[in-house]
Amino acid sequence: MGTASSPGDAAVPRQAAGHGSARRGQAARGVRALLQEHPAWVLLRSRNAAAAVVLLDRNLGASRRRLPVEQLATRIDDDLPELRRAGFELPYSGYFYVSEWIDEGVLVRRRAAQTAGEPGTETLELSDGALLAIRFVSRLSRPHPAVTPSRLGAVLDGLHTLAADADPDPEARLAALLEQRAALDARIERARRGDDDALPPDAAAERAREILALAGDIPADLARVRTELERTDRELRRRLLESDGSRDTFLDDIYRGVDHLAESEAGRGLVAFRDLLRQAEHAAQDDVGRVLDTVHLAPAEASALRRLLPTLQDAADELTDTMAVLRRALQRMVRSGELPAERALRRLLGQAQDAALAAAPDLAPGTGVRLTLPLGAVTPRSVGGFQPYNPGGEDAEAPPVAPALPPRTVSLTALRALARDSEIDVDELRGHVNERVAAVGRATVASVLAAHPATQGAASVVGLLTLAEQHGVATGKNEDVNWRSSRGVARRAVLPQNQFEEHVP
C-alpha cells in the first residue's frame, strides 16, 4: 500500500533542481566572460585568427620569446604580403595588428632592465592566453594518436606512485617500496643475463614525443605564474594604500623584509619549480644527450628536446628576478616615507569620486563646470612628454657603477653608420636625385630608385618623397615604386608622381 506524500516532500526535488539551475546559469555566465575577455578565446574567435596564430607563432614562438616593438612590427610587415597572396584579407600594417593584439591582451609589454642609466627597450611577448591558443591549434593540426601505451603507462605509473606516497599507513608505504625494489632487482638480474632488451625504436620515439608534449605546456604555466605574481603585487600595494597605518601588522611585515610574494601560491610554485630544476639540471642534461644519441627523432623534435632545459632554466631565472624586483620595489615603497602622502592622495581621489557620483543624478554629462585653476610658473606640457617614474628601475642593491673607460677615437665612418640607424640619409638621396637629373634632365622617385637601390629600405622612399614634395613638380599622375626592405623583402607602392626638373640644393 502506498503512503500519501506531503507538500514539503514535493518541494525538496524542486528546490534541488533550482539550485542546480542556478549553478548552471552561473557556470554559463563564467564561460561567457571567458569568451569575451580571455586572450586565448579572443584570439581564436577573431576575424583573422588563422593568420594571427601563424604570425605570432612564427615570430614569438619557440625560443624567440620576446622582441622589441618596432622589430616585431617590421617582421609582421614582411610576412603580410605572403599571407595576402594566399587569400587572407589583411589590409592594415604590422603596427596596427601589434597594437590590436596588445589591446586584446594577446601580447604583453615588458620593459627590459636599465643599462648604463638608460631606460630599457620595450619588448613584447606572448601572454599565457596566446600560448594556450597556439598550443591548442598545434594539437589540432598535429593530433596525438588516439591510444598510446606510453601515455597510459605514464598515467598508471603516476597513479601508483601517488597512491603509495599519499597512504598514511607506514606498512603500506613500506610494502610499496619493497615491491619497487623487487621489480628493480629482477630487472638488474635480467640485465646481467643480457635478457633486458632496450626499447624498440618506435616505442622510444613515441615516449620522447610524450615528454615533449608534456613539456610544451610549461611555457604557458610560467606565463601564468608571472601574471599571478604581478596581480599579487598589485593586491599587496592596494592593501598598503588602504590600511590606516596604525599598528598595521602587514606594513610591519613588509618593513622587516617578509617576502609575501614568495609566500603566495604562485611564488611557492615558482620556488619549488626552480629548486627541482636546479637539482636535476646536470642529470637531465646528460639524459638529453643520451636520448639524442640513441633515439631517432625528426630534426624539429630533436631541436626542441635539445633546447628544452636551457629554455626552462632561463624562464625560471627570469621569473625569479622579476619576483625579486617586485619585492624590493614594495619594500622601497614602505621605507621611502612616501606612503602617507600616497594614502592621503588616495583618500582625496576617493572623496572626489564620491562627490562626482553624488552630483551625477542632478547634472547632465555635458554640463559645464565653472572651475578655474591658477597656472603656476611651469609651462603646461603634453602628458606624453613626461617620463614616468619606475620604482622597479632603481635598484638600491645594485653593484657600484664601473669606472668610466678612457675616451677613444671614433672614426667618421662609424659615426655616419650610427646616424644612419636613426636618421634618413638625406645627403645620399640628394646626390642620387641630382645624378639622375644631370644624366637625363629630369627624374621621378621611381626612376631614382630604379638607378639607386633604397639602402635604408622604406626610410629612403620616405626621404625621396619629402624631397619631391619640397623641390619637385606634381604631374597629377601616379607611378609604381619598387624597393626592398632592410630584410630583403620586395615592396611595391603606388604613389603620386612628382618630377625633379632641377638640381636639389
Side-chain angles (χ1 to χ4, degrees), residues 271-300:
V271 171
F273 178 88
R274 180 197 60 195
D275 293 344
L276 178 60
L277 184 60
R278 289 182 177 176
Q279 291 172 7
E281 179 181 5
H282 297 294
Q285 195 64 48
D286 293 340
D287 293 339
V288 168
R290 293 169 59 191
V291 169
L292 292 175
D293 291 339
T294 57
V295 180
H296 178 70
L297 297 173

PDB file of all heavy atoms in Angstrom, residues 271-300:
ATOM      1  N   VAL A 271      59.259  28.777  -6.652  1.00  0.00           N
ATOM      2  CA  VAL A 271      60.438  28.369  -5.878  1.00  0.00           C
ATOM      3  C   VAL A 271      60.643  26.860  -5.972  1.00  0.00           C
ATOM      4  O   VAL A 271      61.764  26.372  -6.174  1.00  0.00           O
ATOM      5  CB  VAL A 271      60.286  28.822  -4.415  1.00  0.00           C
ATOM      6  CG1 VAL A 271      61.392  28.224  -3.552  1.00  0.00           C
ATOM      7  CG2 VAL A 271      60.318  30.342  -4.322  1.00  0.00           C
ATOM      8  N   ALA A 272      59.555  26.090  -5.841  1.00  0.00           N
ATOM      9  CA  ALA A 272      59.666  24.633  -5.938  1.00  0.00           C
ATOM     10  C   ALA A 272      60.101  24.213  -7.338  1.00  0.00           C
ATOM     11  O   ALA A 272      60.942  23.311  -7.498  1.00  0.00           O
ATOM     12  CB  ALA A 272      58.332  23.988  -5.572  1.00  0.00           C
ATOM     13  N   PHE A 273      59.551  24.847  -8.352  1.00  0.00           N
ATOM     14  CA  PHE A 273      59.926  24.541  -9.738  1.00  0.00           C
ATOM     15  C   PHE A 273      61.408  24.834  -9.977  1.00  0.00           C
ATOM     16  O   PHE A 273      62.131  24.015 -10.553  1.00  0.00           O
ATOM     17  CB  PHE A 273      59.055  25.377 -10.678  1.00  0.00           C
ATOM     18  CG  PHE A 273      59.367  25.202 -12.138  1.00  0.00           C
ATOM     19  CD1 PHE A 273      58.753  24.209 -12.875  1.00  0.00           C
ATOM     20  CD2 PHE A 273      60.275  26.032 -12.780  1.00  0.00           C
ATOM     21  CE1 PHE A 273      59.033  24.043 -14.237  1.00  0.00           C
ATOM     22  CE2 PHE A 273      60.567  25.876 -14.115  1.00  0.00           C
ATOM     23  CZ  PHE A 273      59.945  24.885 -14.846  1.00  0.00           C
ATOM     24  N   ARG A 274      61.863  25.992  -9.503  1.00  0.00           N
ATOM     25  CA  ARG A 274      63.272  26.377  -9.716  1.00  0.00           C
ATOM     26  C   ARG A 274      64.209  25.431  -8.975  1.00  0.00           C
ATOM     27  O   ARG A 274      65.239  24.991  -9.515  1.00  0.00           O
ATOM     28  CB  ARG A 274      63.471  27.808  -9.230  1.00  0.00           C
ATOM     29  CG  ARG A 274      64.891  28.344  -9.377  1.00  0.00           C
ATOM     30  CD  ARG A 274      65.056  29.555  -8.507  1.00  0.00           C
ATOM     31  NE  ARG A 274      64.816  29.213  -7.100  1.00  0.00           N
ATOM     32  CZ  ARG A 274      64.600  30.108  -6.142  1.00  0.00           C
ATOM     33  NH1 ARG A 274      64.556  31.393  -6.444  1.00  0.00           N
ATOM     34  NH2 ARG A 274      64.430  29.725  -4.899  1.00  0.00           N
ATOM     35  N   ASP A 275      63.886  25.079  -7.727  1.00  0.00           N
ATOM     36  CA  ASP A 275      64.758  24.194  -6.956  1.00  0.00           C
ATOM     37  C   ASP A 275      64.855  22.807  -7.593  1.00  0.00           C
ATOM     38  O   ASP A 275      65.945  22.233  -7.687  1.00  0.00           O
ATOM     39  CB  ASP A 275      64.247  24.085  -5.515  1.00  0.00           C
ATOM     40  CG  ASP A 275      64.368  25.398  -4.752  1.00  0.00           C
ATOM     41  OD1 ASP A 275      65.110  26.279  -5.230  1.00  0.00           O
ATOM     42  OD2 ASP A 275      63.715  25.543  -3.710  1.00  0.00           O
ATOM     43  N   LEU A 276      63.719  22.264  -8.012  1.00  0.00           N
ATOM     44  CA  LEU A 276      63.735  20.947  -8.640  1.00  0.00           C
ATOM     45  C   LEU A 276      64.525  20.969  -9.947  1.00  0.00           C
ATOM     46  O   LEU A 276      65.294  20.042 -10.248  1.00  0.00           O
ATOM     47  CB  LEU A 276      62.298  20.478  -8.898  1.00  0.00           C
ATOM     48  CG  LEU A 276      62.141  19.122  -9.609  1.00  0.00           C
ATOM     49  CD1 LEU A 276      62.779  18.015  -8.787  1.00  0.00           C
ATOM     50  CD2 LEU A 276      60.666  18.826  -9.862  1.00  0.00           C
ATOM     51  N   LEU A 277      64.369  22.042 -10.711  1.00  0.00           N
ATOM     52  CA  LEU A 277      65.079  22.139 -11.980  1.00  0.00           C
ATOM     53  C   LEU A 277      66.584  22.227 -11.759  1.00  0.00           C
ATOM     54  O   LEU A 277      67.373  21.594 -12.485  1.00  0.00           O
ATOM     55  CB  LEU A 277      64.581  23.361 -12.759  1.00  0.00           C
ATOM     56  CG  LEU A 277      65.142  23.575 -14.163  1.00  0.00           C
ATOM     57  CD1 LEU A 277      64.807  22.386 -15.049  1.00  0.00           C
ATOM     58  CD2 LEU A 277      64.592  24.861 -14.773  1.00  0.00           C
ATOM     59  N   ARG A 278      67.001  22.978 -10.753  1.00  0.00           N
ATOM     60  CA  ARG A 278      68.439  23.098 -10.484  1.00  0.00           C
ATOM     61  C   ARG A 278      69.020  21.795  -9.947  1.00  0.00           C
ATOM     62  O   ARG A 278      70.165  21.440 -10.258  1.00  0.00           O
ATOM     63  CB  ARG A 278      68.672  24.237  -9.496  1.00  0.00           C
ATOM     64  CG  ARG A 278      68.436  25.618 -10.112  1.00  0.00           C
ATOM     65  CD  ARG A 278      68.709  26.726  -9.128  1.00  0.00           C
ATOM     66  NE  ARG A 278      68.549  28.029  -9.767  1.00  0.00           N
ATOM     67  CZ  ARG A 278      68.653  29.195  -9.133  1.00  0.00           C
ATOM     68  NH1 ARG A 278      68.903  29.210  -7.819  1.00  0.00           N
ATOM     69  NH2 ARG A 278      68.500  30.332  -9.783  1.00  0.00           N
ATOM     70  N   GLN A 279      68.278  21.082  -9.127  1.00  0.00           N
ATOM     71  CA  GLN A 279      68.781  19.824  -8.588  1.00  0.00           C
ATOM     72  C   GLN A 279      68.960  18.780  -9.694  1.00  0.00           C
ATOM     73  O   GLN A 279      69.900  17.983  -9.650  1.00  0.00           O
ATOM     74  CB  GLN A 279      67.821  19.296  -7.530  1.00  0.00           C
ATOM     75  CG  GLN A 279      67.783  20.123  -6.253  1.00  0.00           C
ATOM     76  CD  GLN A 279      66.685  19.667  -5.315  1.00  0.00           C
ATOM     77  OE1 GLN A 279      66.026  18.662  -5.548  1.00  0.00           O
ATOM     78  NE2 GLN A 279      66.490  20.425  -4.228  1.00  0.00           N
ATOM     79  N   ALA A 280      68.046  18.777 -10.651  1.00  0.00           N
ATOM     80  CA  ALA A 280      68.089  17.748 -11.692  1.00  0.00           C
ATOM     81  C   ALA A 280      68.735  18.229 -12.985  1.00  0.00           C
ATOM     82  O   ALA A 280      68.725  17.493 -13.981  1.00  0.00           O
ATOM     83  CB  ALA A 280      66.663  17.270 -11.991  1.00  0.00           C
ATOM     84  N   GLU A 281      69.306  19.430 -12.984  1.00  0.00           N
ATOM     85  CA  GLU A 281      69.774  20.025 -14.237  1.00  0.00           C
ATOM     86  C   GLU A 281      70.861  19.190 -14.901  1.00  0.00           C
ATOM     87  O   GLU A 281      70.766  18.839 -16.079  1.00  0.00           O
ATOM     88  CB  GLU A 281      70.277  21.447 -13.974  1.00  0.00           C
ATOM     89  CG  GLU A 281      70.803  22.148 -15.220  1.00  0.00           C
ATOM     90  CD  GLU A 281      71.314  23.537 -14.929  1.00  0.00           C
ATOM     91  OE1 GLU A 281      71.351  23.916 -13.731  1.00  0.00           O
ATOM     92  OE2 GLU A 281      71.679  24.228 -15.880  1.00  0.00           O
ATOM     93  N   HIS A 282      71.914  18.836 -14.152  1.00  0.00           N
ATOM     94  CA  HIS A 282      73.045  18.137 -14.766  1.00  0.00           C
ATOM     95  C   HIS A 282      72.646  16.727 -15.208  1.00  0.00           C
ATOM     96  O   HIS A 282      72.976  16.291 -16.317  1.00  0.00           O
ATOM     97  CB  HIS A 282      74.207  18.086 -13.780  1.00  0.00           C
ATOM     98  CG  HIS A 282      74.745  19.439 -13.414  1.00  0.00           C
ATOM     99  ND1 HIS A 282      75.385  20.249 -14.334  1.00  0.00           N
ATOM    100  CD2 HIS A 282      74.721  20.133 -12.244  1.00  0.00           C
ATOM    101  CE1 HIS A 282      75.736  21.382 -13.741  1.00  0.00           C
ATOM    102  NE2 HIS A 282      75.349  21.335 -12.477  1.00  0.00           N
ATOM    103  N   ALA A 283      71.921  16.001 -14.338  1.00  0.00           N
ATOM    104  CA  ALA A 283      71.489  14.659 -14.710  1.00  0.00           C
ATOM    105  C   ALA A 283      70.549  14.704 -15.917  1.00  0.00           C
ATOM    106  O   ALA A 283      70.653  13.870 -16.833  1.00  0.00           O
ATOM    107  CB  ALA A 283      70.811  13.986 -13.523  1.00  0.00           C
ATOM    108  N   ALA A 284      69.640  15.682 -15.937  1.00  0.00           N
ATOM    109  CA  ALA A 284      68.701  15.783 -17.058  1.00  0.00           C
ATOM    110  C   ALA A 284      69.424  16.138 -18.349  1.00  0.00           C
ATOM    111  O   ALA A 284      69.052  15.654 -19.430  1.00  0.00           O
ATOM    112  CB  ALA A 284      67.628  16.821 -16.742  1.00  0.00           C
ATOM    113  N   GLN A 285      70.461  16.986 -18.265  1.00  0.00           N
ATOM    114  CA  GLN A 285      71.209  17.331 -19.466  1.00  0.00           C
ATOM    115  C   GLN A 285      71.925  16.110 -20.032  1.00  0.00           C
ATOM    116  O   GLN A 285      71.976  15.903 -21.256  1.00  0.00           O
ATOM    117  CB  GLN A 285      72.219  18.438 -19.149  1.00  0.00           C
ATOM    118  CG  GLN A 285      72.805  19.115 -20.372  1.00  0.00           C
ATOM    119  CD  GLN A 285      71.754  19.854 -21.181  1.00  0.00           C
ATOM    120  OE1 GLN A 285      70.961  20.608 -20.645  1.00  0.00           O
ATOM    121  NE2 GLN A 285      71.746  19.620 -22.484  1.00  0.00           N
ATOM    122  N   ASP A 286      72.472  15.271 -19.144  1.00  0.00           N
ATOM    123  CA  ASP A 286      73.087  14.024 -19.607  1.00  0.00           C
ATOM    124  C   ASP A 286      72.047  13.107 -20.249  1.00  0.00           C
ATOM    125  O   ASP A 286      72.324  12.452 -21.260  1.00  0.00           O
ATOM    126  CB  ASP A 286      73.761  13.316 -18.429  1.00  0.00           C
ATOM    127  CG  ASP A 286      74.957  14.103 -17.902  1.00  0.00           C
ATOM    128  OD1 ASP A 286      75.484  14.944 -18.647  1.00  0.00           O
ATOM    129  OD2 ASP A 286      75.352  13.875 -16.741  1.00  0.00           O
ATOM    130  N   ASP A 287      70.858  13.061 -19.644  1.00  0.00           N
ATOM    131  CA  ASP A 287      69.796  12.221 -20.208  1.00  0.00           C
ATOM    132  C   ASP A 287      69.393  12.696 -21.599  1.00  0.00           C
ATOM    133  O   ASP A 287      69.137  11.882 -22.497  1.00  0.00           O
ATOM    134  CB  ASP A 287      68.575  12.223 -19.280  1.00  0.00           C
ATOM    135  CG  ASP A 287      68.863  11.528 -17.957  1.00  0.00           C
ATOM    136  OD1 ASP A 287      69.812  10.726 -17.917  1.00  0.00           O
ATOM    137  OD2 ASP A 287      68.146  11.801 -16.977  1.00  0.00           O
ATOM    138  N   VAL A 288      69.342  14.019 -21.783  1.00  0.00           N
ATOM    139  CA  VAL A 288      69.005  14.554 -23.111  1.00  0.00           C
ATOM    140  C   VAL A 288      70.039  14.114 -24.139  1.00  0.00           C
ATOM    141  O   VAL A 288      69.706  13.690 -25.255  1.00  0.00           O
ATOM    142  CB  VAL A 288      68.894  16.091 -23.051  1.00  0.00           C
ATOM    143  CG1 VAL A 288      68.841  16.679 -24.459  1.00  0.00           C
ATOM    144  CG2 VAL A 288      67.664  16.510 -22.276  1.00  0.00           C
ATOM    145  N   GLY A 289      71.313  14.200 -23.764  1.00  0.00           N
ATOM    146  CA  GLY A 289      72.358  13.764 -24.684  1.00  0.00           C
ATOM    147  C   GLY A 289      72.255  12.295 -25.043  1.00  0.00           C
ATOM    148  O   GLY A 289      72.428  11.908 -26.208  1.00  0.00           O
ATOM    149  N   ARG A 290      71.962  11.454 -24.049  1.00  0.00           N
ATOM    150  CA  ARG A 290      71.823  10.020 -24.327  1.00  0.00           C
ATOM    151  C   ARG A 290      70.618   9.741 -25.224  1.00  0.00           C
ATOM    152  O   ARG A 290      70.687   8.888 -26.117  1.00  0.00           O
ATOM    153  CB  ARG A 290      71.704   9.259 -23.011  1.00  0.00           C
ATOM    154  CG  ARG A 290      72.959   9.288 -22.156  1.00  0.00           C
ATOM    155  CD  ARG A 290      72.697   8.747 -20.766  1.00  0.00           C
ATOM    156  NE  ARG A 290      72.209   7.369 -20.804  1.00  0.00           N
ATOM    157  CZ  ARG A 290      71.709   6.735 -19.748  1.00  0.00           C
ATOM    158  NH1 ARG A 290      71.605   7.368 -18.590  1.00  0.00           N
ATOM    159  NH2 ARG A 290      71.308   5.483 -19.862  1.00  0.00           N
ATOM    160  N   VAL A 291      69.513  10.446 -24.996  1.00  0.00           N
ATOM    161  CA  VAL A 291      68.332  10.245 -25.832  1.00  0.00           C
ATOM    162  C   VAL A 291      68.623  10.660 -27.273  1.00  0.00           C
ATOM    163  O   VAL A 291      68.264   9.954 -28.233  1.00  0.00           O
ATOM    164  CB  VAL A 291      67.137  11.026 -25.261  1.00  0.00           C
ATOM    165  CG1 VAL A 291      65.978  11.037 -26.254  1.00  0.00           C
ATOM    166  CG2 VAL A 291      66.686  10.413 -23.943  1.00  0.00           C
ATOM    167  N   LEU A 292      69.281  11.788 -27.456  1.00  0.00           N
ATOM    168  CA  LEU A 292      69.584  12.251 -28.813  1.00  0.00           C
ATOM    169  C   LEU A 292      70.539  11.298 -29.530  1.00  0.00           C
ATOM    170  O   LEU A 292      70.502  11.182 -30.763  1.00  0.00           O
ATOM    171  CB  LEU A 292      70.183  13.657 -28.756  1.00  0.00           C
ATOM    172  CG  LEU A 292      69.229  14.776 -28.316  1.00  0.00           C
ATOM    173  CD1 LEU A 292      69.983  16.094 -28.177  1.00  0.00           C
ATOM    174  CD2 LEU A 292      68.080  14.931 -29.296  1.00  0.00           C
ATOM    175  N   ASP A 293      71.407  10.609 -28.765  1.00  0.00           N
ATOM    176  CA  ASP A 293      72.350   9.675 -29.380  1.00  0.00           C
ATOM    177  C   ASP A 293      71.704   8.342 -29.749  1.00  0.00           C
ATOM    178  O   ASP A 293      72.189   7.647 -30.658  1.00  0.00           O
ATOM    179  CB  ASP A 293      73.525   9.425 -28.428  1.00  0.00           C
ATOM    180  CG  ASP A 293      74.408  10.660 -28.266  1.00  0.00           C
ATOM    181  OD1 ASP A 293      74.354  11.536 -29.148  1.00  0.00           O
ATOM    182  OD2 ASP A 293      75.122  10.755 -27.247  1.00  0.00           O
ATOM    183  N   THR A 294      70.636   7.965 -29.052  1.00  0.00           N
ATOM    184  CA  THR A 294      70.094   6.613 -29.228  1.00  0.00           C
ATOM    185  C   THR A 294      68.708   6.577 -29.857  1.00  0.00           C
ATOM    186  O   THR A 294      68.323   5.547 -30.411  1.00  0.00           O
ATOM    187  CB  THR A 294      70.030   5.896 -27.865  1.00  0.00           C
ATOM    188  OG1 THR A 294      69.233   6.677 -26.955  1.00  0.00           O
ATOM    189  CG2 THR A 294      71.426   5.726 -27.288  1.00  0.00           C
ATOM    190  N   VAL A 295      67.947   7.663 -29.785  1.00  0.00           N
ATOM    191  CA  VAL A 295      66.564   7.669 -30.280  1.00  0.00           C
ATOM    192  C   VAL A 295      66.511   8.472 -31.566  1.00  0.00           C
ATOM    193  O   VAL A 295      67.031   9.596 -31.628  1.00  0.00           O
ATOM    194  CB  VAL A 295      65.599   8.247 -29.226  1.00  0.00           C
ATOM    195  CG1 VAL A 295      64.170   8.235 -29.757  1.00  0.00           C
ATOM    196  CG2 VAL A 295      65.688   7.452 -27.929  1.00  0.00           C
ATOM    197  N   HIS A 296      65.877   7.906 -32.568  1.00  0.00           N
ATOM    198  CA  HIS A 296      65.746   8.598 -33.851  1.00  0.00           C
ATOM    199  C   HIS A 296      64.526   9.522 -33.798  1.00  0.00           C
ATOM    200  O   HIS A 296      63.387   9.070 -33.679  1.00  0.00           O
ATOM    201  CB  HIS A 296      65.583   7.588 -34.992  1.00  0.00           C
ATOM    202  CG  HIS A 296      65.393   8.242 -36.324  1.00  0.00           C
ATOM    203  ND1 HIS A 296      66.398   8.931 -36.969  1.00  0.00           N
ATOM    204  CD2 HIS A 296      64.301   8.320 -37.144  1.00  0.00           C
ATOM    205  CE1 HIS A 296      65.940   9.406 -38.107  1.00  0.00           C
ATOM    206  NE2 HIS A 296      64.669   9.051 -38.256  1.00  0.00           N
ATOM    207  N   LEU A 297      64.783  10.836 -33.882  1.00  0.00           N
ATOM    208  CA  LEU A 297      63.726  11.841 -33.850  1.00  0.00           C
ATOM    209  C   LEU A 297      63.821  12.717 -35.086  1.00  0.00           C
ATOM    210  O   LEU A 297      64.886  12.842 -35.700  1.00  0.00           O
ATOM    211  CB  LEU A 297      63.844  12.719 -32.591  1.00  0.00           C
ATOM    212  CG  LEU A 297      63.672  12.030 -31.239  1.00  0.00           C
ATOM    213  CD1 LEU A 297      63.981  12.999 -30.112  1.00  0.00           C
ATOM    214  CD2 LEU A 297      62.262  11.491 -31.082  1.00  0.00           C
ATOM    215  N   ALA A 298      62.714  13.333 -35.424  1.00  0.00           N
ATOM    216  CA  ALA A 298      62.716  14.308 -36.511  1.00  0.00           C
ATOM    217  C   ALA A 298      63.575  15.510 -36.120  1.00  0.00           C
ATOM    218  O   ALA A 298      63.761  15.787 -34.934  1.00  0.00           O
ATOM    219  CB  ALA A 298      61.286  14.747 -36.820  1.00  0.00           C
ATOM    220  N   PRO A 299      64.145  16.229 -37.093  1.00  0.00           N
ATOM    221  CA  PRO A 299      65.011  17.382 -36.746  1.00  0.00           C
ATOM    222  C   PRO A 299      64.341  18.386 -35.825  1.00  0.00           C
ATOM    223  O   PRO A 299      64.970  18.881 -34.884  1.00  0.00           O
ATOM    224  CB  PRO A 299      65.337  17.989 -38.116  1.00  0.00           C
ATOM    225  CG  PRO A 299      65.215  16.848 -39.072  1.00  0.00           C
ATOM    226  CD  PRO A 299      64.111  15.985 -38.543  1.00  0.00           C
ATOM    227  N   ALA A 300      63.064  18.702 -36.071  1.00  0.00           N
ATOM    228  CA  ALA A 300      62.373  19.675 -35.216  1.00  0.00           C
ATOM    229  C   ALA A 300      62.218  19.127 -33.797  1.00  0.00           C
ATOM    230  O   ALA A 300      62.362  19.871 -32.815  1.00  0.00           O
ATOM    231  CB  ALA A 300      61.010  20.017 -35.812  1.00  0.00           C
TER     232      ALA A 300
END
